[in-house]
């Protein structure tokens, strides 16, 4: 089976909007509250509380007074006073917040990746004197790809035939298209607005500049900025 561009660029993301995420959480909460017997609910509450109490204890051992300590204190005091409903509700809200944060990060990454992606499944490759349609995943370095006006360039490479005007705004932010001729370099994800080009592939789709940009975006999400660290410290 051919690998599509979605397989190359996109991670599986659950396409749920905010309403559906909130609705599912509330439904589970109501089912838990009205259909699970009280002894089982208490046991589940105690079991779920272990992780929060452990995280709070670890922060205290390191001399920190942070959000983990606050969460553990709220849940621990509720358990000590046998207010299991309050403890359960607190953990429900904390878990819902984590779910929303995770959903937001995944959706933002998917939307940004989709806006940058090539969006091409099949391309025309020059074999001898004929153009042969191939899946993009089958294109190898050295293959000559034919790109017509209005199409998105699917590979990184060098123009070996033709002339055209290429919109590189997704890469460079340039407001005007750039002239390309024989010997000019082009990048996957840019758009050929005028002309026709034949491009000798220098990098396959999974090794293109576009893929490198997407990987950098994903890496940047893992690294917190100084402002974000200051905000979290202030919140603690």
């Amino acid at each position: 089976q051919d690998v599509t561009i979605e397989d190359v660029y996109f991670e599986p993301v659950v396409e749920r909007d905010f309403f559906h995420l909130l609705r599912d959480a509330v439904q589970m909460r109501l089912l838990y509250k009205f259909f699970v017997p009280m002894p089982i609910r208490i046991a589940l509450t105690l079991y779920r509380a272990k992780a929060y109490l452990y995280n709070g204890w670890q922060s205290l051992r390191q001399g920190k007074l942070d959000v983990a300590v606050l969460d553990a204190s709220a849940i621990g005091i509720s358990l000590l006073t046998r207010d299991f409903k309050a403890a359960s509700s607190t953990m429900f809200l904390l878990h819902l917040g984590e779910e929303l944060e995770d959903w937001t990060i995944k959706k933002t990454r998917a939307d940004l990746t989709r806006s940058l992606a090539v969006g091409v499944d099949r391309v025309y490759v020059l074999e001898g004197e004929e153009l042969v349609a191939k899946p993009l995943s089958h294109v190898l370095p050295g293959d000559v790809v034919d790109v017509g006006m209005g199409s998105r360039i699917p590979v990184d490479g060098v123009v070996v035939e033709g002339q055209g005007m290429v919109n590189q705004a997704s890469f460079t932010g340039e407001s005007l298209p750039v002239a390309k001729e024989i010997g000019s370099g082009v990048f996957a994800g840019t758009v050929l607005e005028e002309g026709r080009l034949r491009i000798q592939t220098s990098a396959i789709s999974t090794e293109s500049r576009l893929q490198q940009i997407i990987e950098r975006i994903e890496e940047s999400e893992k690294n917190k900025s100084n402002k974000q660290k200051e905000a979290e410290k202030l919140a603690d």
Side-chain angles (χ1 to χ4, degrees), residues 167-216:
N167 186 332
Q168 301 184 145
S170 59
F171 274 76
T172 64
E174 295 170 283
S175 58
L176 298 176
V178 178
K180 298 292 183 179
E181 55 187 13
I182 296 175
S184 300
V186 293
F187 304 107
T190 55
V191 179
L192 178 60
E193 292 190 348
E194 296 180 20
R196 192 174 196 88
L197 299 176
R198 286 186 174 175
I199 302 163
Q200 186 173 39
T201 305
S202 60
I204 59 176
S205 57
T206 54
E207 298 174 357
S208 66
R209 293 287 182 91
L210 177 62
Q211 180 63 19
Q212 293 174 20
I213 289 175
I214 293 172
E215 290 173 357
R216 296 295 183 275

Side-chain angles (χ1 to χ4, degrees), residues 79-208:
L79 294 178
L80 288 174
T81 57
R82 303 184 65 80
D83 191 350
F84 299 107
K85 289 183 180 179
S88 179
S89 297
T90 301
M91 288 187 287
F92 164 72
L93 292 174
L94 292 172
H95 179 71
L96 178 60
E98 293 170 358
E99 286 282 316
L100 290 174
E101 181 181 9
D102 184 60
W103 174 83
T104 301
I105 291 173
K106 287 183 178 179
K107 188 174 188 305
T108 301
R109 180 187 302 165
D111 289 346
L112 187 56
T113 302
R114 189 176 292 112
S115 69
L116 289 173
V118 175
V120 176
D121 292 331
R122 303 183 74 82
V123 297
Y124 287 98
V125 177
L126 185 65
E127 293 188 355
E129 298 296 326
E130 297 183 357
L131 291 175
V132 179
K134 283 187 176 182
L136 178 59
S137 58
H138 292 182
V139 176
L140 301 173
D143 287 348
V144 176
V145 177
D146 185 84
V147 181
M149 183 173 64
S151 300
R152 194 175 290 269
I153 295 174
V155 295
D156 287 1
V158 178
V159 177
V160 294
E161 184 178 334
Q163 294 180 334
M165 302 295 292
V166 176
N167 186 332
Q168 301 184 145
S170 59
F171 274 76
T172 64
E174 295 170 283
S175 58
L176 298 176
V178 178
K180 298 292 183 179
E181 55 187 13
I182 296 175
S184 300
V186 293
F187 304 107
T190 55
V191 179
L192 178 60
E193 292 190 348
E194 296 180 20
R196 192 174 196 88
L197 299 176
R198 286 186 174 175
I199 302 163
Q200 186 173 39
T201 305
S202 60
I204 59 176
S205 57
T206 54
E207 298 174 357
S208 66

Side-chain angles (χ1 to χ4, degrees), residues 29 31-49 79 84 88 91:
R29 177 66 178 171
L31 288 173
Y32 174 81
K33 183 175 182 180
F34 292 108
F35 294 97
V36 178
M38 180 58 72
I40 297 178
R41 285 163 55 188
I42 293 175
L44 289 174
T45 299
L46 292 172
Y47 177 78
R48 291 168 56 203
L79 294 178
F84 299 107
S88 179
M91 288 187 287

Side-chain angles (χ1 to χ4, degrees), residues 43-57:
L44 289 174
T45 299
L46 292 172
Y47 177 78
R48 291 168 56 203
K50 289 194 304 181
Y52 293 98
L53 297 176
Y54 176 78
N55 291 336
W57 170 244

